[in-house]
Amino acid sequence: MTTHRIPHIPALLLAAAAAMSANAWAAGTTHDHGPAHATAAKPLPAGQRWATDAPLREGMGRIRAALEPQLKAVHHDKLGAEEYKALAAQTEQQVAHIVANCKLAPEADAALHGILAQIGEATEAMAGKSKAKPRDGAVKLVAALDEYGRSFDHPGWKKLHR
């Protein structure tokens, strides 16, 4: 199995790229690592999930750990703008860690980029940088993390309770 290293991307480029639509990422039109990355994410057979590596599991686990204690406040629409911005900043930091350190097979990498695009859109909303409400961004982040859990083999991963 060949692995694919995602190169380091400066924070501004990462934020801009992560905010792009999942369709653009999945199509490979805006994010390209060359011929090895041209493979689009193929669906896996039922019951199978993409392999993960330690940096991916660490980063996604930290995003989940930052979001989970806030879920009740999000659900009851009680989380303030500054708390959403802090959650967005923590999420951006972990996405940068994932992008800089994660090594996946090209097809798993393509599948991950769709999820990272959703996380980018969620982060933009939570940070107040889009037309979407910060609360809607947190809901989108929950959905992206649930998709990650369905799609990637992350031992011990549990679905977030909404």
Side-chain angles (χ1 to χ4, degrees), residues 7 25 29-30 39-40 43 46 48 52 67-69 71 86 96 110 132 142 144 150-151:
W25 278 61
T29 59
T30 60
T39 305
Q48 292 186 6
T52 59
L67 176 60
E68 187 172 31
L71 285 178
V142 169
R150 282 189 300 276
S151 301

Side-chain angles (χ1 to χ4, degrees), residues 24-137:
W25 278 61
T29 59
T30 60
H31 182 80
D32 187 20
H33 295 297
H37 192 268
T39 305
K42 295 178 185 176
L44 288 171
Q48 292 186 6
R49 295 181 291 165
W50 298 109
T52 59
D53 65 3
L56 176 58
R57 290 188 301 271
E58 180 180 292
M60 295 302 272
R62 287 181 178 166
I63 293 169
R64 187 186 188 288
L67 176 60
E68 187 172 31
Q70 307 296 339
L71 285 178
K72 187 174 181 180
V74 169
H75 179 71
H76 294 291
D77 205 11
K78 301 288 184 189
L79 202 62
E82 292 307 312
E83 289 135 327
Y84 279 116
K85 287 179 182 178
L87 183 56
Q90 290 172 318
T91 302
E92 286 176 346
Q93 181 181 26
Q94 293 309 312
V95 169
H97 170 79
I98 291 167
V99 170
N101 298 292
C102 182
K103 295 179 186 179
L104 297 177
E107 289 177 347
D109 181 61
L112 177 61
H113 279 287
I115 293 169
L116 292 179
Q118 293 173 29
I119 292 172
E121 291 170 3
T123 301
E124 290 290 311
M126 290 187 302
K129 298 177 183 176
S130 75
K131 293 180 181 180
K133 294 178 183 177
R135 182 182 184 278
D136 294 339

